Amino acid sequence: MSNLAVTEIVTEEIPGKLSLKERLGYAVGDLSTNIIWTAITTFLTFFYTDIVGISAGVVGTIFLLTRLLDGVVDIGIGALVDRTNSKHGKARPWIKWMAVPFGLSVMVLFTAPDLGNTGSIIYAAVTYFIVTVIYSAINIPYAALNSLMTQDSYQRSLLNITRMTLSLLGGVTISIITMPVVNAFGGGKSGWALTFGIIGILSPLLYWITYRTSKERVKPVVVKKAIPLRKGVRALGRNKYWLIVLMFNVFLFLSTGVSSALNIYYAQYILHNPALVGSLSLAGLVPLIIGIVLSAPLIKRIGKRNTILAGAILSAVGSVMVFIDPTNFMLIMISTVIKTLGVAPAVATGSALLADTVEYGEWKTGARTEGLIFSGASLASKIGSGLGGAMVGWVLSAGGYVGGLETQPDSAISAIKVLYIVVPLILVILQILLMFFYSLEKKLPAILKELGQVAGKENY
């Protein structure tokens, strides 16, 4: 063991198998999160450019600057989670505290008061920043809860698979119903505001279920005091597997961010049928649910890392298919299904991979910092999706895209194709390269055993 000064282990008896009720209760929280986050990643760029009237380049800049600034906030939130010490745990209380503010913030986000061009830009930037900060304050502790409910690696995978299945069901639902509901409410600014007013009311109710049904079992034994932020950050720098997972997630979220934001543009200007955005969204979500379910037996048989690698290779094949005919709708649908199935293992195991790096970090440095480690995951999502949104806005702007035009210039059409076809292929290749360096899975049983032995000596 390397420089292990202190440790933490389970102080309550942890069942070999988490109940279905507990897994579902935990998963409902991400159903709530993804209803909102899918709506943001899929429709917010379009809302800003075509409803509010902000230029694509300005939208891209707002996305990037906000996400980078919020990424710094994530580290602070992670440190606060690690310092939280209540009778309800260190992660669960945050879900209770932030549920209602998160719902209210999304209501405000999709409200567009008449403030003029400059006022609209300032309003968009401020409300978007508020949403991302509150999102971090509820999503970082929610993700960390995975590592606090059990230390069993396979159970963590099952917990994450259940979570992502419900999460994606929420994503599928919101992708299908958003535009019809907006139009049913009369479209325009009022249609968007009413639609997301309903979503803002529903979200806290779902989080309440997670709060009531989850239980934290992994608690500190030797270290009663919180890890100082400086020491925690230094420990992250020495956790090589956390760094690998962090970069992997940056590329994953960058790819999904670009693809999600591009669906509505691709449907309208390449396939010449904006109604197809629902079909493209379904092709990017339904296979993900199927793939996540199928990932469970594969993970048990060949492990998380090998399952992710196999999926990434499949995703690369699907990306190459688009080059055959970028305007053929059926080919685009088949390609999207294949790419989505390939992404599924990474989505299914994302939180489980991070939870495993908690134990590695404790073994390597003596510091157990769930909050900081999962704030890194939030940071990766912010950097990835922020860069994705910025890339979409900037490339569209460089291509001469003008929101609201029925026909776009050839340069804008080329920009849409590059973003939709070339960028995802490059990013999946980078993900494959990173996974070749991830070897924690084989080492984890010995690490857990050694941690348990040290804790036993301390208690003795």
Side-chain angles (χ1 to χ4, degrees), residues 123-456:
Y123 181 87
V126 171
T127 55
Y128 184 59
F129 178 70
I130 290 172
V131 167
T132 58
V133 169
I134 298 176
Y135 169 80
S136 297
I138 196 167
N139 196 58
I140 289 171
Y142 173 79
L145 189 57
N146 180 301
S147 66
L148 293 164
M149 291 171 70
T150 178
Q151 279 186 315
D152 184 285
S153 183
Y154 182 63
Q155 288 298 310
R156 285 173 172 172
S157 294
L158 290 180
L159 194 62
N160 198 60
I161 287 170
T162 309
R163 162 196 176 183
M164 294 310 304
T165 300
L166 287 193
S167 171
L168 291 165
L169 284 173
V172 169
T173 302
I174 203 67
S175 296
I176 295 173
I177 70 171
T178 295
M179 292 308 298
V181 172
V182 168
N183 291 331
F185 283 133
K189 293 180 179 181
S190 61
W192 285 89
L194 288 170
T195 300
F196 284 89
I198 295 171
I199 292 171
I201 293 171
L202 176 63
S203 176
L205 299 176
L206 297 174
Y207 278 122
W208 180 83
I209 296 173
T210 296
Y211 176 78
R212 295 291 297 175
T213 58
S214 60
K215 184 178 182 181
E216 294 186 18
R217 298 180 177 86
V218 180
K219 301 181 184 295
V221 173
V222 179
V223 181
K224 299 296 184 181
K225 296 181 180 179
I227 301 295
L229 177 59
R230 183 178 297 180
K231 180 178 179 180
V233 172
R234 284 203 306 265
L236 289 183
R238 296 174 59 195
N239 191 329
K240 64 180 180 180
Y241 294 110
W242 176 79
L243 293 171
I244 290 173
V245 175
L246 181 75
M247 289 307 303
F248 181 90
N249 283 333
V250 167
F251 295 139
L252 179 64
F253 280 103
L254 177 54
S255 179
T256 55
V258 169
S259 298
S260 296
L262 254 292
N263 276 343
I264 193 164
Y265 295 99
Y266 204 86
Q268 183 159 342
Y269 297 111
I270 307 300
L271 302 177
H272 305 293
N273 186 353
L276 294 178
V277 66
S279 298
L280 290 175
S281 296
L282 281 176
L285 289 171
V286 173
L288 200 53
I289 298 172
I290 297 170
I292 286 173
V293 174
L294 295 177
S295 293
L298 276 175
I299 290 168
K300 193 169 186 178
R301 184 178 180 86
I302 64 176
K304 293 192 286 287
R305 178 248 195 188
N306 290 337
T307 304
I308 291 172
L309 269 175
I313 293 170
L314 180 64
S315 188
V317 172
S319 297
V320 171
M321 287 180 61
V322 187
F323 286 94
I324 298 173
D325 185 356
T327 62
N328 186 309
F329 173 64
M330 287 307 301
L331 179 65
I332 296 299
M333 288 290 287
I334 294 170
S335 167
T336 303
V337 168
I338 292 173
K339 288 190 294 182
T340 304
L341 285 171
V343 170
V347 175
T349 59
S351 289
L353 286 180
L354 278 166
D356 289 348
T357 69
V358 172
E359 268 73 44
Y360 176 79
E362 181 183 13
W363 173 82
K364 179 73 175 177
T365 68
R368 185 181 181 92
T369 54
E370 291 97 340
L372 281 177
I373 279 178
F374 280 92
S375 72
S378 181
L379 174 61
S381 72
K382 300 290 176 59
I383 293 174
S385 55
L387 283 174
M391 186 181 296
V392 169
W394 291 340
V395 174
L396 287 179
S397 181
Y401 177 86
V402 179
L405 289 184
E406 184 175 344
T407 302
Q408 296 291 338
D410 291 342
S411 56
I413 299 300
S414 297
I416 292 172
K417 288 181 179 179
V418 168
L419 286 166
Y420 194 84
I421 302 170
V422 179
V423 171
L425 178 59
I426 294 172
L427 292 171
V428 76
I429 291 172
L430 292 173
Q431 292 169 50
I432 291 170
L433 293 174
L434 279 170
M435 271 299 105
F436 274 113
F437 294 97
Y438 184 86
S439 58
L440 176 58
E441 201 166 1
K442 293 181 179 179
K443 302 175 182 178
L444 192 60
I447 288 172
L448 287 173
K449 182 178 180 181
E450 192 169 347
L451 285 174
Q453 288 173 347
V454 171

Side-chain angles (χ1 to χ4, degrees), residues 76-88:
I77 292 173
L80 288 174
V81 172
D82 283 330
R83 290 173 175 272
T84 301
N85 183 20
S86 77
K87 63 180 181 179
H88 301 296

